[in-house]
Amino acid sequence: MRDVVASIEGEFHRYRKLGEGAFGQVADADLLRRATGEGNSMVTLIQHLSGNFRSRFTDFLTTDGEKPWRDRESEFAAVPATRQELRARWDEGWAVLLGALSSLTDADLSRTVTIRGEPLSVRDALHRSLSHASYHVGQMVMLGRSLQGSQWRFLTIPPGRSAEYNRAPSLERTPVASASVPDDIADRILRAVTGPAWHGPALNELLADVTPSEAAAHPAAGLHTIAEIVSHLVFWCDDTLKRLPSASASSATAAAIPEPAPGADFPPLDSRDADGWQKLRKALEEGHRSLAAAARVLSPDRLPARVPGRTATFEDMLRGVTEHAAYHGGQIAILRRSLREKSGS
């Protein structure tokens, strides 16, 4: 049986597709262009993800995930490379990852592997890697969009097209049953905001020194502000919490909650001053804490059930919150660097 492993595989495939959609839109001349500040280029992001996958998943169950032959620092070097060379490097890393996953069953999830000598379960190692991938793919998408401007082809639902998409969804994957532990899900939701997060800085760490003016600033046309992204994260956290069944309600009788109206997930901000920014940050943490608490008491037999009105399971929806946080966390990191580069701070 490999229901859980197959679910994780599906998420990796989803982020691979997003990364390739971003990489494929960037002109050859822009592959080495870095995000402003000390940001990464498309070249370094591809090199780093590939190097990480090859190190972590070569002999995954029998050797430490940080291989002695890995030169992590070189992955961030701006080395000129052709598109074909980069694509080969990208594919190599994914081939090692997916090859390791293909041999796993759900029985392997409780086994122990090590990374830099630290033991962790196979389940934790896989979710750690998935969060890391979603963080950097989010940066690839942000970088690609900033480079392409109005020529950018949206990889998810385009603005203003939500209602049309809901009539004929094409981005969803078929969910599978799962038997994972609610405590694990709850911990991951909380760590995505408060840390420690395996993929990189947690949201609170990224936002700790962001000023109200930085949060409200538009670094480039067409990009959301940091505050707008935080508001978006709060919205989907709250939406997820509303869709969880109560302890007394049965899955069969739970009513479907209508999907948000187009654009509702980027609600207008009440205030752009210091007080408003602090309230928004507080809402981010409190919302995720509430969601984690609700997930922790969710009966395990509810996890493989489909969310009323959706094709996703409750586990897919809850784990998606952590991936969503990692994805947008990577974008916040780029925006913060960009704003400070422009201001000279």
Side-chain angles (χ1 to χ4, degrees), residues 101-122:
L101 289 178
S102 69
S103 65
L104 296 179
T105 68
D106 288 354
D108 293 314
L109 295 174
S110 60
R111 296 177 64 175
T112 299
V113 293
T114 61
I115 298 177
R116 297 186 179 91
E118 294 296 321
L120 64 165
S121 70
V122 167

Side-chain angles (χ1 to χ4, degrees), residues 38 55 86 166 168 233 270:
E38 295 300 316
S55 180
L86 282 176
N166 288 341
L233 288 166
D270 294 335

Side-chain angles (χ1 to χ4, degrees), residues 197-243:
W198 291 115
H199 58 266
L203 290 171
N204 276 357
E205 295 171 301
L206 288 167
L207 300 171
D209 61 350
V210 172
T211 66
S213 60
E214 287 176 330
H218 283 276
L223 298 184
H224 289 293
T225 67
I226 291 175
E228 287 170 341
I229 291 175
V230 173
S231 180
H232 174 73
L233 288 166
V234 171
F235 178 92
W236 283 113
C237 179
D238 291 346
D239 183 85
T240 300
L241 181 59
K242 289 189 298 186
R243 295 177 193 276

Side-chain angles (χ1 to χ4, degrees), residues 254-313:
I257 297 173
E259 291 299 316
D265 56 338
F266 280 99
L269 300 176
D270 294 335
S271 175
R272 295 174 181 268
D273 59 16
D275 185 57
W277 174 231
Q278 290 307 312
K279 285 181 178 178
L280 185 58
R281 284 196 54 202
K282 183 178 180 181
L284 178 72
E285 180 170 338
E286 290 184 347
H288 283 77
R289 286 190 180 278
S290 296
L291 180 59
R296 201 177 298 279
V297 299
L298 190 65
S299 174
D301 62 8
R302 299 289 183 91
L303 293 176
R306 291 177 185 266
V307 180
R310 290 183 173 176
T311 59
T313 66

Side-chain angles (χ1 to χ4, degrees), residues 160-216:
R161 301 278 296 278
S162 297
E164 176 185 342
Y165 175 81
N166 288 341
R167 290 192 291 270
S170 59
L171 300 174
E172 271 65 26
R173 61 185 177 84
T174 302
V176 295
S178 174
S180 60
V181 180
D183 279 344
D184 174 70
I185 296 173
D187 288 342
R188 292 180 187 282
I189 290 171
L190 191 56
R191 289 204 302 268
V193 178
T194 64
W198 291 115
H199 58 266
L203 290 171
N204 276 357
E205 295 171 301
L206 288 167
L207 300 171
D209 61 350
V210 172
T211 66
S213 60
E214 287 176 330

Side-chain angles (χ1 to χ4, degrees), residues 49-51 53-54 57 88-98:
L49 277 172
S50 179
F53 286 157
R54 288 188 295 110
F57 293 99
R89 203 168 300 164
W90 171 265
D91 288 343
E92 181 185 8
W94 283 99
V96 173
L97 162 68
L98 296 173

